[in-house]
């Protein structure tokens, strides 16, 4: 019994995706990780399975009001192929576990920080 998705890891590897990322996506569907760092308008989640970085855009954080969660936040997400680049990226990022979470508070704090950034430049 061969599924059409069974060939996807091979195609991803041929497209330049590391084998560890391609296999993690196909084996477990949802991936767990930790918000690692933000580089301006994009960030990276360190994947639990192999420690590799997964590219992520702020729009993937609907559960966080469209803002990056604090570094160290445990998350789960799906891996999708970016339509523009063809590379894997995180999508549908959600809080992992049962910790309490206030999306409005994080969104308000992120907006405050964003508004203050121009004033902080030297």
């Amino acid at each position: 019994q061969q599924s059409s998705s069974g060939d996807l890891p091979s195609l991803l590897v041929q497209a330049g995706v590391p084998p560890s990322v391609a296999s993690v996506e196909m084996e477990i569907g949802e991936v767990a990780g930790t918000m690692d760092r933000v580089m301006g308008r994009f960030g990276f989640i360190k994947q639990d399975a192999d420690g590799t970085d997964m590219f992520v855009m702020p729009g993937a954080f609907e559960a966080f009001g469209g803002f990056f969660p604090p570094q160290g936040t445990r998350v789960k997400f799906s891996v999708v192929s970016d339509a523009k680049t063809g590379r894997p990226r995180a999508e549908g990022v959600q809080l992992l576990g049962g910790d309490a979470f206030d999306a409005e508070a994080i969104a308000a704090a992120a907006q405050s920080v964003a508004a203050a950034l121009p004033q902080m430049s030297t």
Side-chain angles (χ1 to χ4, degrees):
Q1 179 180 357
Q2 182 176 355
S3 68
S4 59
S5 63
D7 295 274
L8 187 55
S10 298
L11 293 173
L12 290 172
V13 170
Q14 289 174 6
V17 176
S20 58
V21 173
S23 64
V24 167
E25 175 188 1
M26 296 309 296
E27 288 175 6
I28 58 178
E30 274 197 332
V31 180
T34 303
M35 188 66 204
D36 188 46
R37 64 192 184 281
V38 175
M39 311 286 289
R41 295 183 182 210
F42 60 90
F44 294 94
I45 299 170
K46 186 158 297 291
Q47 298 180 82
D48 288 354
D50 60 6
T52 60
D53 290 335
M54 178 56 61
F55 180 81
V56 65
M57 299 291 292
F61 292 95
E62 289 181 30
F64 294 85
F67 293 95
F68 293 110
Q71 184 178 8
T73 301
R74 300 282 299 136
V75 296
K76 65 179 180 176
F77 56 94
S78 297
V79 178
V80 299
S81 179
D82 187 278
K84 194 177 205 180
T85 66
R87 296 183 141 192
R89 66 174 168 79
E91 190 62 47
V93 183
Q94 299 177 14
L95 187 67
L96 182 65
D99 296 334
F101 171 68
D102 184 347
E104 290 181 14
I106 288 185
Q111 289 173 343
S112 296
V113 169
L117 286 177
Q119 300 167 5
M120 291 181 187
S121 62
T122 55

